[in-house]
Amino acid sequence: MSTQPTDSGMETAEFTVGAEALTALDNGKPPATAGARKWLQFRFLIRFQSLLGLVLVLFGGIIFSPRRNGELLFLSADNLANIVRSVSETGIIAVGMTFVIIAGGIDLSVGAVLGLSGVLVARLMIDWNYGTALAIIIVLIAGLLFGVLQGLVSNYMRIQAFIVTLAGLQLARGLARIISGDKFINISFGSGPKQAPSSFSVLGDRFGGVLPVSALVFLGVGILGSVVLNTTRFGRHVFAVGGNERAARLSGINVRYVKIVTFAICGITAALSGILDAGQLAFANPDSGTGYELTAIAAVVIGGTSLFGGEGTVVGTLAGALLLGSLNNILQLNNINSNLQLIVTATIIVLAAALQHLASRRRGT
């Protein structure tokens, strides 16, 4: 007779170890057994995988950084600012994506919504003479409504979010090409006809001559998202819905409302990224944002958010976005082939997903 433990036996043992570890923490005491201590160490690794990974990447950047006049290029103020600027758009999207994934959904339309928002804000200012503030507000509302529409279709028609947002991707991209006439829209600044207000050019400036405005927006969105997710009743409901939708519904949580709002948040962040994209580049491209949805999802997964829902942090997502940006920057500074950059990024994503899989098996509670 085989003495190998069955899967159910292993899961029961892991549950017992996890329960012991958490009980010890609740009592303010260290776990008594080695298994419980290892369980807590593993839990710590999963929870802070993106921060630990970011530290390792930054350390690697210092080691492998080329030098110019004795200065490490990686640590130069301009280079660090470029890293943050390069991840600001996908990072902002990733914050919204964190809400959707924690609630148990997915949004594949965000890259196309970015492109749509860029051409829409350009048209509003250049062709329809809207001021900067009003044009931005209109585009943010449009992004919100696009997200709400996808949430309504997914939840009331009971269609998987993957399918609904895949269709939303096509819809947003088609609308962007129609609005733009299927061409780039150049944005020149001034007060004359066919010019955008000069105030819109601020989005492409650098605060203090060093820190890009887009980086400040990225940081602000990250702080706001973290506060909402961790300190508000809505944030607690997002975790509850993603953790166990049926239990959340039985406890009185309006599951449909929570999911629709997460899609609305994702729509707003995508629209904001589109506005920043147009402001930084001084032109709007209907095809901007292609592939951004995958980069945003990668940042969320690397940040420790579970694709099964119910677990994750905005801080982890921010660290995941910066990790990807720093890694790409290191490879570029060393003139590494761009195709190899994609392979390295893919490897990191798989490793992060593997850790998530192990966490789901060992969670124990």
Side-chain angles (χ1 to χ4, degrees), residues 124-357:
L124 285 169
M125 293 185 298
I126 293 174
D127 295 327
W128 303 325
N129 298 319
Y130 281 79
T132 298
L134 185 56
I136 289 175
I137 291 172
I138 290 174
V139 173
L140 290 177
I141 292 174
L144 181 149
L145 293 177
F146 197 93
V148 168
L149 176 62
Q150 292 188 123
L152 288 171
V153 172
S154 177
N155 286 278
Y156 281 93
M157 297 185 68
R158 298 183 181 278
I159 304 175
Q160 289 184 347
F162 179 91
I163 301 299
V164 172
T165 58
L166 183 61
L169 182 157
Q170 301 295 330
L171 174 62
R173 193 65 75 190
L175 288 173
R177 290 173 179 173
I178 290 172
I179 293 174
S180 67
D182 206 13
K183 60 184 179 181
F184 285 30
I185 302 175
N186 290 317
I187 302 176
S188 58
F189 302 103
S191 56
K194 296 294 182 179
Q195 288 185 316
S198 299
S199 55
F200 190 71
S201 66
V202 172
L203 298 180
D205 291 341
R206 295 196 174 207
F207 184 77
V210 177
L211 188 62
V213 171
S214 60
L216 294 176
V217 177
F218 171 44
L219 178 62
V221 170
I223 293 173
L224 179 60
S226 184
V227 169
V228 171
L229 191 60
N230 295 312
T231 65
T232 67
R233 183 179 181 184
F234 171 75
R236 293 192 295 272
H237 287 179
V238 171
F239 282 108
V241 170
N244 191 320
E245 184 175 322
R246 185 171 182 272
R249 185 176 289 107
L250 291 175
S251 66
I253 295 175
N254 189 334
V255 172
R256 284 178 173 172
Y257 169 79
V258 171
K259 287 191 170 185
I260 290 170
V261 172
T262 61
F263 278 105
I265 292 172
C266 207
I268 291 175
T269 55
L272 178 57
S273 292
I275 294 168
L276 286 174
D277 185 74
Q280 291 186 96
L281 300 177
F283 70 84
N285 178 4
D287 291 325
S288 284
T290 300
Y292 277 26
E293 61 278 355
L294 302 180
T295 304
I297 293 171
V300 173
V301 172
I302 292 171
T305 296
S306 173
L307 288 173
F308 300 100
E311 187 172 351
T313 65
V314 171
V315 172
T317 294
L318 299 181
L322 290 171
L323 186 156
L324 290 174
S326 299
L327 181 61
N328 287 334
N329 181 263
I330 294 167
L331 296 174
Q332 290 169 6
L333 288 176
N334 287 278
N335 296 317
I336 302 299
N337 187 283
S338 60
N339 294 322
L340 182 58
Q341 295 178 29
L342 296 175
I343 294 173
V344 172
T345 301
T347 302
I348 292 176
I349 295 171
V350 170
L351 289 174
L355 284 174
Q356 289 296 333
H357 176 70

Side-chain angles (χ1 to χ4, degrees), residues 4-72:
Q4 293 294 326
T6 63
D7 288 343
S8 60
M10 293 176 65
E11 291 172 0
T12 300
E14 289 168 356
F15 180 88
T16 303
V17 170
E20 176 193 342
L22 292 177
T23 300
L25 285 181
D26 290 340
N27 294 331
K29 299 178 180 179
T33 65
R37 288 193 292 271
K38 290 181 179 179
W39 188 92
L40 283 178
Q41 292 169 359
F42 181 79
R43 186 181 177 90
F44 177 86
L45 174 63
I46 295 299
R47 184 173 183 181
F48 297 103
Q49 65 181 31
S50 60
L51 293 173
L52 295 173
L54 179 59
V55 170
L56 290 175
V57 168
L58 293 177
F59 186 68
I62 294 172
I63 294 175
F64 297 106
S65 173
R67 292 177 178 269
R68 180 181 296 165
N69 298 326
E71 180 186 13
L72 292 175

